[in-house]
Amino acid sequence: MSGQYLTLARDGLWNKNPALVQMLGLCPLLAVSTTFVNGTILGLVTLAVLTASNLLISTIRGSLDDRIRLPLQIMVIATFVTCADLALQTWLFEIHQRIGLFVALIVTNCTVLARAESFASRNPIRASLVDGFMMGAGFLLVIMLLSGIREILGQGTLFQGARSLFTQGTSGATDHNWTINFEFDGLLLVILPPGAFLTFGCLLAAKNWLDQYEQR
Amino acid sequence: MSTPTDRVTDIPAEVGPGKANTRKPLFAFTFLAACCGMLVSMSNFLSVDIISENQLRFEQKQMREILGNHQAEVSRIAPDVFQIGTIDEPQGFIFKQLTNDGYNGQINLWIGVDTKNNIIGVRVIDHKETPGLGDKIEAGVSGWIHTFEGRSLLSEPDAAWTVKKDGGVFDQFSGATITPRAVVIAVKAGLERSEREQETWLNRSQQENQRLNSPTMTQENR
């Protein structure tokens, strides 16, 4: 029982990591990973949507007919993304001002549809819930790592914009500035789209190297 | 409980057009579409007021940031113009300025000027510029927006009101020139507008002294 969930966790976080192994959801991953805060928030929203859609798809899997399965899954995912978008505007308005453009695009994150299609629509509810959460967590970890690396190398800062996370709803600005500045101007290339591919390629290489190292 | 499988979908077999075969998925689809529709409209119903309140509070917060520490009275004298200070002693104006020259569409700004048309401060109300590149125009992301403070149409020659790349005095961002250029040019246009209209604004604020002296914005003012 618990061993099954452990396997699901290991699959989501490492063995079948949606970004590093399945190469899914690269569009938001590469586009939003310019600063750590933006990347992390998008990763968290993706995790929430993935878990919720897996849960609902698994609940209704009995009535999923081959002819309506795909449109139905997209409809469920779009519903949750819209709700998440509204929730973000309600509770984290200033963050939404910055990454709102990309939140709506979570619908097109293939990870979400892939998990609904290949896992949730043919597995029991609890396993689907764990799978959605773990795959989401795997995506979150990769986007955190990628955006952290890109922000440090590309701009010489870390946690840029973190302040607006904590000043939500208060009128004054807080004294504490969360941004860490390194004495370093940053390599422009890393911030630009090609830099996203290059950094992601390095992460891939590192993961594969670790896997091979373990085997030996 | 069966063990979870993680295999690729089988290609669905051709299903005949039998009546019973069509009705059930159709029913399921309609039912779920209704459920999803209800879920979305319910979340919209629950959040729409809070969101518009957030938008308003965000605009006010940006405006307050321009005012800084001196807690001046602010009153609305036109749909997008606010006067700083009391009606008898105006200290300046804050107005909205819109530009369509951003990298991703509109950029909406607050521009605060004193009565001699020197800039008190500029803030971005909303924009769709690329996170990590163009969004350095936000005060919360970088200090760039503060470079406007204290400047006026007289403090810089006309040609200097653009980014350094075009021979001006304002920094562009590495990787993003279009966004800061759009903001600089919009601020300049705002100053020109304020130079033209300050007289009118002053008169109007005297006239409407009675009607609109509420210090805060109200909902319909958006």
Side-chain angles (χ1 to χ4, degrees):
Chain A
M1 200 57 186
S2 64
Q4 174 202 331
Y5 296 135
L6 208 66
T7 315
L8 284 177
R10 205 174 291 149
D11 278 355
L13 295 176
W14 189 262
N15 291 343
K16 288 179 188 165
N17 185 298
L20 288 178
V21 178
Q22 303 183 55
M23 307 270 178
L24 292 173
L26 294 192
C27 156
L29 180 76
L30 298 181
V32 187
S33 59
T34 46
T35 68
F36 183 80
V37 172
N38 290 353
T40 307
I41 298 287
L42 193 93
L44 285 172
V45 179
T46 308
L47 183 137
V49 169
L50 191 50
T51 312
S53 85
N54 256 19
L55 174 68
L56 187 61
I57 300 280
S58 175
T59 314
I60 59 169
R61 69 188 187 282
S63 50
L64 285 179
D65 186 277
D66 275 342
R67 285 164 296 181
I68 59 161
R69 201 180 56 228
L70 279 174
L72 228 161
Q73 284 164 354
I74 283 290
M75 185 172 71
V76 167
I77 295 164
T79 304
F80 282 121
V81 170
T82 312
C83 292
D85 190 65
L86 288 170
L88 209 57
Q89 286 191 59
T90 307
W91 291 306
L92 287 170
F93 186 78
E94 292 186 21
I95 292 291
H96 187 273
Q97 292 282 89
R98 304 174 55 199
I99 64 162
L101 210 59
F102 296 104
V103 171
L105 287 178
I106 292 177
V107 183
T108 63
N109 185 332
C110 302
T111 312
V112 187
L113 182 62
R115 292 332 286 172
E117 169 69 17
S118 70
F119 197 92
S121 63
R122 57 191 76 227
N123 280 298
I125 294 175
R126 214 183 302 170
S128 299
L129 198 67
V130 174
D131 177 78
F133 183 82
M134 285 306 167
M135 285 290 165
F139 182 80
L140 174 69
L141 284 180
V142 175
I143 199 170
M144 280 169 79
L145 197 62
L146 189 63
S147 56
I149 294 174
R150 285 183 71 197
E151 191 181 340
I152 293 172
L153 291 182
Q155 316 202 48
T157 59
L158 191 58
F159 308 132
Q160 192 187 79
R163 213 175 64 169
S164 51
L165 279 179
F166 305 103
T167 52
Q168 174 76 20
T170 58
S171 52
T174 50
D175 310 334
H176 191 68
N177 193 353
W178 294 83
T179 311
I180 300 170
N181 274 303
F182 302 95
E183 300 299 319
F184 167 52
D185 271 349
L187 291 163
L188 176 59
L189 178 72
V190 184
I191 284 298
L192 294 175
F197 283 97
L198 292 173
T199 319
F200 183 65
C202 293
L203 277 186
L204 268 182
K207 195 227 171 242
N208 287 337
W209 182 81
L210 272 173
D211 277 346
Q212 283 182 0
Y213 184 81
E214 215 169 84
Q215 275 178 10
R216 258 188 262 133
Chain B
M1 193 184 281
S2 63
T3 49
T5 52
D6 195 355
R7 61 189 165 86
V8 181
T9 329
D10 302 322
I11 297 157
E14 232 20 87
V15 188
K19 245 185 186 172
N21 263 336
T22 329
R23 213 174 262 165
K24 198 189 154 214
L26 204 64
F27 178 75
F29 195 89
T30 315
F31 178 72
L32 272 153
C35 288
C36 288
M38 256 159 58
L39 193 63
V40 169
S41 35
M42 209 169 71
S43 354
N44 183 53
F45 175 75
L46 289 174
S47 62
V48 67
D49 289 339
I50 304 172
I51 292 171
S52 62
E53 204 175 289
N54 282 346
Q55 176 78 42
L56 188 71
R57 198 161 19 164
F58 185 70
E59 286 191 11
Q60 281 175 324
K61 185 180 151 191
Q62 301 296 86
M63 189 192 271
R64 285 278 155 205
E65 270 187 37
I66 292 180
L67 294 174
N69 289 326
H70 53 96
Q71 290 292 315
E73 194 178 314
V74 176
S75 45
R76 186 163 166 269
I77 56 169
D80 60 346
V81 184
F82 293 80
Q83 182 185 294
I84 311 167
T86 56
I87 301 293
D88 306 324
E89 274 182 78
Q91 293 167 10
F93 298 93
I94 294 182
F95 54 94
K96 266 189 196 175
Q97 184 74 27
L98 193 74
T99 173
N100 288 313
D101 297 333
Y103 192 70
N104 284 326
Q106 291 190 334
I107 303 173
N108 212 346
L109 304 166
W110 283 126
I111 303 178
V113 294
D114 64 16
T115 47
K116 295 191 178 64
N117 216 14
N118 296 313
I119 294 176
I120 303 172
V122 179
R123 285 294 181 281
V124 178
I125 302 170
D126 58 55
H127 71 87
K128 295 187 176 63
E129 302 307 299
T130 318
L133 281 175
D135 68 349
K136 294 197 187 84
I137 54 173
E138 282 180 42
V141 177
S142 84
W144 182 80
I145 203 85
H146 297 292
T147 53
F148 287 108
E149 284 159 21
R151 293 183 197 266
S152 71
L153 287 176
L154 301 172
S155 76
E156 323 301 326
D158 204 45
W161 272 97
T162 182
V163 289
K164 282 182 177 154
K165 203 177 191 173
D166 302 343
V169 293
F170 298 95
D171 284 329
Q172 58 263 7
F173 312 137
S174 40
T177 313
I178 294 172
T179 310
R181 184 191 286 143
V183 173
V184 171
I185 289 171
V187 170
K188 187 189 176 205
L191 285 180
E192 284 162 358
R193 173 184 167 202
S194 136
E195 200 173 53
R196 275 196 315 273
E197 295 185 18
Q198 257 203 27
E199 198 86 347
T200 331
W201 291 343
L202 277 170
N203 291 337
R204 193 176 309 164
S205 76
Q206 315 270 305
Q207 281 165 17
E208 309 215 342
N209 193 353
Q210 299 296 315
R211 212 164 59 81
L212 281 169
N213 58 356
S214 144
T216 51
M217 288 186 276
T218 50
Q219 191 73 41
E220 75 265 15
N221 289 350
R222 289 183 66 236

